Amino acid sequence: MPLAEELSRPDLYVVARFLERLWRDERTRRKTDLQLAVRLNYNVYKKYLEWMLEKGLITTERDDAGERVSITPKGLETYHTLVAWIKDTIGDEHL
Amino acid sequence: MPSETRKFRFLPPLAPLAFVGGLLLIGLSLLALGFTATAPGYGPVTHYETYVIEDHGVMVFAVPLSPTVPSQIQVEFRFPVHAGSGMAVDCRDMARILDGREPLSPEVSSGGGRGAFSTTGFSGSSANCPFAYVVMRWALSGEPVETNRPEVDVTTLPIVMPAIVGAVLVGTLIIGATASTLGGIAWGRRLNRERIAAPAGTTESTTETLLIVLHRTGEWLQRTRRYLIVAGALGIFLWYPVVLPWAWTMALQGSPARLYPWIIAAAAVFVLFALSAVWTREFLRLDRELLVWRDRVHRLREREAAMLAELGSSG
C-alpha cells in the first residue's frame, strides 16, 4: 500500500512550509535538517515527505552522506501559487 | 522612544473609556436637564373652576406640583369691572376658602384691578397635597359671577435651574460630546493599527506570516463589527426612546421668551442623528468589508480543494 494513502488530506500549508524551506535555501537539504526546519514530528514528517515525492513536488538524491531533498519546478510553482492565493485573499488593504 | 511619545502612551488605552464615559456623561446631562423639564404641570395652567362663596366670586386654578422639583408660580390678572384679589395657597387653606373662611397663610397675595404676583414657596408636593392653588376673589354686588371674572394667566416653572446649574449641565454636555468624539476617533485609530498583524518574533516563513495575517485580519473584522454593534446599541440607539420624548417635552416648554429649551432640544436631537449617521456609515462599510473577506476566504478554500484534487490525481 502506497504510504501516500495514509495522508488522506494533507494540509497544503504544511506542504508550503516544506517547499518554502527548500526554495529559500536554494540547495538540497538532508532529510534530518529538513525535519528540524519544518518542525514536524517524525511520523507526520515522513508521511508528508512520501506524499510530496509521490506528487512530484520534491525529489531526492543520494550521496555519500545520505539522502538529500530538493524542490522540483512543479513544487516551486505550487508554492508560489499558494503564496499568491493567500496574498490575494488578504488583499492589498490589509497587507 | 521620543519623550513626547512616551508622555502620551497612556492615552490610547483610555480611548474606549473616554468614548463610553463621554456618552454616559451626555446621557446623564440630558436626563438631568429633562428631569427638571418633564415634571408635570409646567407651563401655562388654563383649567379653572368658578364658585360663589358668601357673596364672593372665587376662581380657582389647581397647579400640579412636582414631588422633586420646586416650582415657581407666576400670575397676572385683570379684573374687568372692579378690583378683586389674588393669592396662592396650599390644600389646607384652599379647604378653608371653600368653607367660606379666610386662609391662614397664603404664600402671596395681591389686590387691585390689575396686577401680578409670583411665588416660589411651594417646594414640592406630598401625597396629601399634590397641588398648589391660585385663587382669585372678588365681591359680587348682585351681578352674575361672570361679570367681573378676571382674565388670569397662570404659569408654572421649575426653579431648580438657576443659570449656574444650567450652565454646568450644558458644560457637561459639551465635555461629554468632546470626550466621546475624541475617544471614539482614538479608539477607531487604535483598532485600525491592530490591522498590522505581523506578529512579533515572526518566523522567517512567508507562508506562516501570511497565514497569521489572514487569520488575524478575519478576527479583527469580526471583533470590530461586534464592538461597533455594542457601541451603537449602548451609545446611540438606546438613547432614542429617552432623548426624543425629552426633546419633545423641552420644545413644548419653550416659548419665544425662553429659547433655551428649544436650543438644547434641537442640539440634542442633532447630535443623536449625526452620531447615528456616522455609525451607520461605518457599520455598512465594515459589513461590506467583512462580506468581501468571507467571499475571498471561501474562494481560497475552493482553490485549495481544487489544488488538492489536482495533486491527488497526479503523481
Side-chain angles (χ1 to χ4, degrees):
Chain A
M1 179 175 69
L3 285 173
E5 284 189 3
E6 296 178 25
L7 199 62
S8 58
R9 190 173 175 81
D11 185 334
L12 275 178
Y13 299 105
V14 174
V15 172
R17 212 189 302 166
F18 272 84
L19 297 174
E20 182 174 358
R21 281 264 59 94
L22 292 170
W23 169 63
R24 278 180 180 273
D25 294 342
E26 296 180 345
R27 60 180 175 83
T28 60
R29 293 193 76 147
R30 295 174 62 78
K31 281 188 176 178
T32 313
D33 292 342
L34 186 60
Q35 184 196 348
L36 291 174
V38 298
R39 303 190 308 276
L40 289 176
N41 72 55
Y42 179 73
N43 287 336
V44 176
Y45 167 74
K46 193 176 170 188
K47 286 179 188 175
Y48 272 94
L49 204 66
E50 294 292 337
W51 185 85
M52 292 170 69
L53 273 170
E54 190 180 318
K55 301 306 170 185
L57 301 176
I58 58 175
T59 184
T60 56
E61 57 193 47
R62 190 167 281 282
D63 63 11
D64 296 333
E67 230 174 344
R68 302 186 78 86
V69 184
S70 60
I71 191 170
T72 63
K74 183 179 178 183
L76 194 63
E77 186 189 343
T78 302
Y79 169 72
H80 284 306
T81 302
L82 268 176
V83 170
W85 286 350
I86 300 173
K87 286 184 177 176
D88 185 45
T89 303
I90 293 172
D92 291 335
E93 67 273 21
H94 295 290
L95 276 175
Chain B
M1 184 183 301
S3 60
E4 283 279 330
T5 312
R6 239 198 330 265
K7 206 188 323 179
F8 295 116
R9 271 179 70 189
F10 68 94
L11 284 180
L14 292 180
L17 192 63
F19 176 70
V20 175
L23 290 173
L24 279 174
L25 199 56
I26 291 172
L28 290 172
S29 303
L30 289 177
L31 281 174
L33 284 168
F35 182 71
T36 61
T38 54
Y42 289 144
V45 179
T46 56
H47 182 73
Y48 62 87
E49 299 283 340
T50 309
Y51 307 92
V52 175
I53 301 173
E54 298 200 356
D55 296 332
H56 278 79
V58 178
M59 188 178 183
V60 178
F61 293 80
V63 179
L65 298 174
S66 165
T68 52
V69 179
S71 301
Q72 179 185 34
I73 303 173
Q74 294 177 340
V75 182
E76 291 181 8
F77 63 88
R78 186 184 75 84
F79 287 95
V81 178
H82 58 82
S85 65
M87 67 188 80
V89 299
D90 61 12
C91 301
R92 185 191 58 176
D93 279 339
M94 186 68 239
R96 290 180 62 86
I97 291 171
L98 290 176
D99 280 344
R101 294 175 286 167
E102 287 301 309
L104 292 177
S105 53
E107 276 298 320
V108 66
S109 62
S110 178
R114 176 197 292 264
F117 59 92
S118 68
T119 174
T120 58
F122 297 94
S123 57
S125 73
S126 66
N128 294 329
C129 190
F131 293 93
Y133 297 91
V134 171
V135 179
M136 310 303 298
R137 287 200 305 184
W138 61 100
L140 296 174
S141 308
E143 74 257 15
V145 68
E146 295 81 13
T147 303
N148 196 35
R149 184 161 59 202
E151 294 167 8
V152 186
D153 288 325
V154 178
T155 306
T156 178
L157 304 164
I159 62 167
V160 76
M161 285 286 292
I164 185 67
V165 174
V168 166
L169 285 177
V170 169
T172 55
L173 263 176
I174 293 171
I175 291 170
T178 306
S180 63
T181 303
L182 293 178
I185 291 171
W187 193 9
R189 284 185 181 168
R190 194 181 87 172
L191 286 175
N192 216 35
R193 272 200 298 277
E194 287 173 5
R195 282 182 171 209
I196 304 169
T202 305
T203 67
E204 294 176 5
S205 168
T206 302
T207 321
E208 288 186 11
T209 305
L210 286 174
L211 282 175
I212 290 170
V213 171
L214 181 75
H215 291 128
R216 285 192 179 182
T217 302
E219 284 171 4
W220 178 87
L221 284 170
Q222 291 175 24
R223 189 172 64 240
T224 306
R225 187 173 181 272
R226 279 198 302 271
Y227 285 162
L228 207 55
I229 290 173
V230 170
L234 292 180
I236 300 173
F237 298 106
L238 206 62
W239 290 107
Y240 268 88
V242 173
V243 170
L244 291 183
W246 169 84
W248 180 250
T249 308
M250 288 290 276
L252 287 179
Q253 299 298 327
S255 69
R258 295 180 67 239
L259 283 179
Y260 88 84
W262 289 98
I263 293 170
I264 292 178
V269 172
F270 175 77
V271 165
L272 198 61
F273 283 174
L275 285 174
S276 302
V278 169
W279 182 91
T280 303
R281 187 193 68 180
E282 290 305 310
F283 183 78
L284 289 177
R285 190 181 61 79
L286 187 68
D287 211 42
R288 265 197 308 276
E289 206 172 321
L290 190 58
L291 278 175
V292 166
W293 175 259
R294 284 176 180 158
D295 282 343
R296 285 179 183 172
V297 170
H298 181 69
R299 191 173 65 205
L300 177 64
R301 299 297 173 231
E302 285 180 340
R303 282 171 162 175
E304 289 168 4
M307 178 179 269
L308 275 174
E310 188 184 326
L311 288 172
S313 63
S314 68

Short mmCIF file of all heavy atoms in Angstrom, two decimals, chain A residues 33-52:
data_model
loop_
_atom_site.label_atom_id
_atom_site.label_comp_id
_atom_site.label_asym_id
_atom_site.label_seq_id
_atom_site.Cartn_x
_atom_site.Cartn_y
_atom_site.Cartn_z
N ASP A 33 17.83 17.52 8.54
CA ASP A 33 17.82 19.00 8.62
C ASP A 33 16.46 19.55 8.24
O ASP A 33 15.94 20.48 8.85
CB ASP A 33 18.87 19.59 7.67
CG ASP A 33 20.28 19.26 8.12
OD1 ASP A 33 20.43 18.91 9.31
OD2 ASP A 33 21.20 19.36 7.29
N LEU A 34 15.86 18.95 7.21
CA LEU A 34 14.57 19.43 6.74
C LEU A 34 13.49 19.19 7.79
O LEU A 34 12.62 20.03 8.01
CB LEU A 34 14.20 18.73 5.43
CG LEU A 34 12.94 19.24 4.72
CD1 LEU A 34 13.08 20.71 4.38
CD2 LEU A 34 12.66 18.43 3.47
N GLN A 35 13.57 18.06 8.48
CA GLN A 35 12.58 17.80 9.52
C GLN A 35 12.67 18.85 10.62
O GLN A 35 11.66 19.35 11.11
CB GLN A 35 12.81 16.41 10.13
CG GLN A 35 11.73 16.07 11.17
CD GLN A 35 12.09 14.93 12.06
OE1 GLN A 35 13.06 14.20 11.83
NE2 GLN A 35 11.31 14.73 13.11
N LEU A 36 13.90 19.21 10.99
CA LEU A 36 14.07 20.25 12.02
C LEU A 36 13.55 21.59 11.52
O LEU A 36 12.96 22.36 12.28
CB LEU A 36 15.55 20.36 12.40
CG LEU A 36 16.13 19.17 13.17
CD1 LEU A 36 17.64 19.33 13.35
CD2 LEU A 36 15.44 19.01 14.52
N ALA A 37 13.76 21.85 10.24
CA ALA A 37 13.36 23.15 9.70
C ALA A 37 11.84 23.28 9.64
O ALA A 37 11.29 24.36 9.87
CB ALA A 37 13.96 23.34 8.31
N VAL A 38 11.14 22.20 9.30
CA VAL A 38 9.68 22.31 9.18
C VAL A 38 8.96 22.00 10.49
O VAL A 38 7.74 22.17 10.58
CB VAL A 38 9.13 21.38 8.07
CG1 VAL A 38 9.69 21.79 6.71
CG2 VAL A 38 9.43 19.92 8.36
N ARG A 39 9.71 21.53 11.48
CA ARG A 39 9.18 21.38 12.85
C ARG A 39 7.97 20.43 12.90
O ARG A 39 6.88 20.81 13.34
CB ARG A 39 8.80 22.74 13.44
CG ARG A 39 9.93 23.74 13.47
CD ARG A 39 9.57 24.99 14.29
NE ARG A 39 8.30 25.57 13.86
CZ ARG A 39 8.15 26.42 12.86
NH1 ARG A 39 9.19 26.77 12.14
NH2 ARG A 39 6.96 26.90 12.56
N LEU A 40 8.17 19.27 12.39
CA LEU A 40 7.13 18.25 12.48
C LEU A 40 7.69 17.03 13.20
O LEU A 40 8.91 16.78 13.13
CB LEU A 40 6.68 17.81 11.08
CG LEU A 40 5.86 18.80 10.26
CD1 LEU A 40 5.60 18.25 8.86
CD2 LEU A 40 4.54 19.12 10.96
N ASN A 41 6.80 16.28 13.84
CA ASN A 41 7.31 15.04 14.43
C ASN A 41 7.61 14.05 13.30
O ASN A 41 7.10 14.20 12.17
CB ASN A 41 6.34 14.47 15.46
CG ASN A 41 5.09 13.88 14.84
OD1 ASN A 41 5.15 13.01 13.96
ND2 ASN A 41 3.96 14.36 15.30
N TYR A 42 8.40 13.05 13.61
CA TYR A 42 8.99 12.20 12.57
C TYR A 42 7.91 11.50 11.74
O TYR A 42 8.01 11.44 10.51
CB TYR A 42 9.94 11.18 13.19
CG TYR A 42 10.53 10.27 12.14
CD1 TYR A 42 11.50 10.74 11.25
CD2 TYR A 42 10.08 8.95 12.01
CE1 TYR A 42 12.03 9.91 10.27
CE2 TYR A 42 10.61 8.12 11.02
CZ TYR A 42 11.58 8.60 10.17
OH TYR A 42 12.08 7.80 9.19
N ASN A 43 6.87 10.97 12.42
CA ASN A 43 5.87 10.20 11.69
C ASN A 43 5.13 11.07 10.67
O ASN A 43 4.91 10.68 9.52
CB ASN A 43 4.87 9.57 12.67
CG ASN A 43 5.48 8.42 13.42
OD1 ASN A 43 6.44 7.80 12.94
ND2 ASN A 43 4.97 8.15 14.62
N VAL A 44 4.72 12.24 11.12
CA VAL A 44 4.00 13.14 10.22
C VAL A 44 4.92 13.61 9.10
O VAL A 44 4.54 13.67 7.93
CB VAL A 44 3.42 14.34 11.01
CG1 VAL A 44 2.76 15.33 10.08
CG2 VAL A 44 2.43 13.85 12.06
N TYR A 45 6.13 13.96 9.51
CA TYR A 45 7.12 14.42 8.52
C TYR A 45 7.31 13.39 7.44
O TYR A 45 7.32 13.71 6.24
CB TYR A 45 8.44 14.69 9.25
CG TYR A 45 9.63 14.87 8.34
CD1 TYR A 45 9.80 16.05 7.60
CD2 TYR A 45 10.59 13.86 8.22
CE1 TYR A 45 10.89 16.21 6.78
CE2 TYR A 45 11.69 14.04 7.40
CZ TYR A 45 11.83 15.20 6.68
OH TYR A 45 12.92 15.35 5.86
N LYS A 46 7.42 12.13 7.83
CA LYS A 46 7.67 11.06 6.86
C LYS A 46 6.50 10.93 5.89
O LYS A 46 6.67 10.75 4.68
CB LYS A 46 7.90 9.76 7.62
CG LYS A 46 8.47 8.64 6.77
CD LYS A 46 8.77 7.42 7.63
CE LYS A 46 9.09 6.25 6.71
NZ LYS A 46 9.20 4.99 7.45
N LYS A 47 5.27 11.06 6.44
CA LYS A 47 4.09 10.95 5.59
C LYS A 47 4.07 12.05 4.54
O LYS A 47 3.79 11.82 3.36
CB LYS A 47 2.81 11.03 6.43
CG LYS A 47 2.52 9.80 7.25
CD LYS A 47 1.24 10.00 8.08
CE LYS A 47 1.06 8.86 9.04
NZ LYS A 47 -0.11 9.08 9.92
N TYR A 48 4.35 13.26 4.98
CA TYR A 48 4.34 14.38 4.04
C TYR A 48 5.44 14.24 3.01
O TYR A 48 5.24 14.51 1.83
CB TYR A 48 4.49 15.72 4.79
CG TYR A 48 3.18 16.29 5.24
CD1 TYR A 48 2.70 16.05 6.51
CD2 TYR A 48 2.41 17.06 4.38
CE1 TYR A 48 1.48 16.57 6.93
CE2 TYR A 48 1.19 17.58 4.78
CZ TYR A 48 0.74 17.32 6.05
OH TYR A 48 -0.47 17.85 6.45
N LEU A 49 6.59 13.79 3.45
CA LEU A 49 7.72 13.61 2.53
C LEU A 49 7.36 12.61 1.44
O LEU A 49 7.57 12.85 0.24
CB LEU A 49 8.94 13.14 3.32
CG LEU A 49 10.29 13.45 2.69
CD1 LEU A 49 10.54 14.95 2.64
CD2 LEU A 49 11.41 12.78 3.51
N GLU A 50 6.77 11.51 1.84
CA GLU A 50 6.39 10.48 0.88
C GLU A 50 5.32 10.98 -0.07
O GLU A 50 5.36 10.73 -1.28
CB GLU A 50 5.90 9.22 1.62
CG GLU A 50 6.95 8.49 2.43
CD GLU A 50 8.01 7.85 1.55
OE1 GLU A 50 7.73 7.59 0.37
OE2 GLU A 50 9.14 7.63 2.05
N TRP A 51 4.38 11.73 0.48
CA TRP A 51 3.30 12.25 -0.35
C TRP A 51 3.82 13.22 -1.38
O TRP A 51 3.46 13.17 -2.56
CB TRP A 51 2.25 12.92 0.54
CG TRP A 51 1.03 13.40 -0.19
CD1 TRP A 51 -0.07 12.66 -0.50
CD2 TRP A 51 0.79 14.70 -0.70
NE1 TRP A 51 -0.99 13.41 -1.17
CE2 TRP A 51 -0.48 14.69 -1.31
CE3 TRP A 51 1.52 15.89 -0.72
CZ2 TRP A 51 -1.04 15.81 -1.92
CZ3 TRP A 51 0.96 17.00 -1.33
CH2 TRP A 51 -0.29 16.97 -1.92
N MET A 52 4.72 14.09 -0.94
CA MET A 52 5.25 15.09 -1.84
C MET A 52 6.14 14.47 -2.91
O MET A 52 6.16 14.91 -4.06
CB MET A 52 6.02 16.16 -1.05
CG MET A 52 5.11 17.00 -0.17
SD MET A 52 5.97 18.05 0.98
CE MET A 52 6.70 19.21 -0.12
#
